[in-house]
């Protein structure tokens, strides 16, 4: 089919322009020659141009596919990163809650320890107060007895002294 078209295109100018008439313009001949030239170039280069453009189209398509694959991978990575961020936020919130619970329990333990320490200090203070009161009473009694016994005006016998001490003790 291509050979038939090529043959017709080569013979057509001879049939058209084979007359003896004097033509002053050659625009028609030149146009026909240009069309014939384009047809020959197309006939010779059409397959090569088609393969070139098909190859170029396939190259562009493969690059586009690569870019789309990279886009899908990056979208997947972004989604994974968002999930990791959410997990990290949950873990951080859990850690904060645990830390707050630990702080509260430590506060309670410290309060209990302080209360126990205060009660033991109050008990110790009351015991020391009683002891000091007893010591003061003994010291005052001893001073009074020494004063009374040292006075030579008052004569107390041992029996009377024993009765006084027994009354004080009872």
């Amino acid at each position: 089919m291509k050979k038939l078209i090529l043959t017709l295109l080569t013979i057509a100018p001879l049939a058209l322009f084979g007359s003896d008439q004097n033509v002053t313009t050659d625009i028609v001949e030149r146009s026909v020659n240009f069309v014939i030239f384009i047809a020959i170039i197309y006939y010779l280069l059409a397959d090569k141009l088609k393969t070139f453009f098909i190859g170029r189209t396939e190259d562009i398509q493969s690059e586009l596919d690569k870019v789309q694959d990279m886009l899908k991978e990056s979208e997947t990575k972004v989604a994974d990163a968002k999930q990791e961020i959410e997990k990290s936020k949950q873990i951080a919130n859990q850690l904060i809650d645990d830390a707050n619970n630990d702080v509260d329990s430590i506060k309670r333990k410290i309060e209990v320890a302080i209360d126990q320490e205060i009660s033991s200090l109050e008990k110790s203070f009351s015991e020391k107060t009683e002891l000091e009161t007893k010591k003061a009473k003994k010291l005052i009694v001893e001073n009074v007895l020494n004063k009374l016994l040292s006075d030579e005006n008052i004569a107390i016998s041992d029996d009377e002294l024993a009765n006084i001490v027994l009354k004080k003790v009872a």
Side-chain angles (χ1 to χ4, degrees):
M1 179 77 175
K2 289 183 181 181
K3 288 184 182 180
L4 179 64
I5 292 175
L6 183 61
T7 306
L8 286 176
L9 286 177
T10 23
I11 294 174
L14 294 176
L16 289 175
F17 302 116
S19 66
D20 280 340
Q21 295 175 357
N22 287 337
V23 179
T24 57
T25 62
D26 63 346
I27 188 75
V28 174
E29 294 89 5
R30 287 185 181 202
S31 298
V32 170
N33 282 339
F34 181 73
V35 168
I36 292 171
F37 175 73
I38 294 298
I40 291 171
I41 293 293
Y42 178 77
Y43 176 74
L44 294 175
L45 298 178
D47 293 334
K48 292 179 183 174
L49 285 175
K50 284 181 184 178
T51 58
F52 171 76
F53 285 122
I54 289 172
R56 182 72 181 138
T57 304
E58 289 174 355
D59 289 344
I60 290 171
Q61 185 63 38
S62 68
E63 288 295 322
L64 182 62
D65 290 342
K66 286 180 186 176
V67 169
Q68 286 178 346
D69 289 342
M70 290 175 60
L71 179 64
K72 287 178 184 176
E73 287 178 16
S74 41
E75 286 175 353
T76 305
K77 287 181 182 179
V78 166
D80 291 343
K82 285 182 180 179
Q83 288 177 352
E84 289 295 322
I85 288 172
E86 289 300 319
K87 286 180 184 177
S88 298
K89 285 182 181 178
Q90 290 175 354
I91 290 171
N93 288 336
Q94 183 65 33
L95 289 174
I96 290 171
D97 291 342
D98 290 345
N100 287 336
N101 291 339
D102 289 345
V103 166
D104 290 340
S105 68
I106 290 172
K107 281 182 182 179
R108 278 185 249 121
K109 287 179 183 178
I110 289 174
E111 287 174 357
V112 168
I114 288 173
D115 289 341
Q116 289 176 351
E117 184 71 23
I118 288 173
S119 65
S120 68
L121 286 175
E122 287 175 349
K123 185 178 178 182
S124 172
F125 177 73
S126 65
E127 288 175 357
K128 284 187 180 181
T129 306
E130 287 178 24
L131 183 64
E132 289 299 321
T133 308
K134 287 180 182 179
K135 281 184 183 179
K137 284 181 181 177
K138 280 184 182 181
L139 185 61
I140 291 172
V141 168
E142 186 178 325
N143 285 340
V144 168
L145 284 177
N146 283 340
K147 218 178 205 187
L148 287 175
L149 294 177
S150 66
D151 270 349
E152 294 166 2
N153 305 356
I154 301 175
I156 298 178
S157 67
D158 288 335
D159 290 334
E160 290 176 357
L161 184 60
N163 284 334
I164 292 173
V165 172
L166 285 175
K167 285 179 185 177
K168 277 290 190 186
V169 172

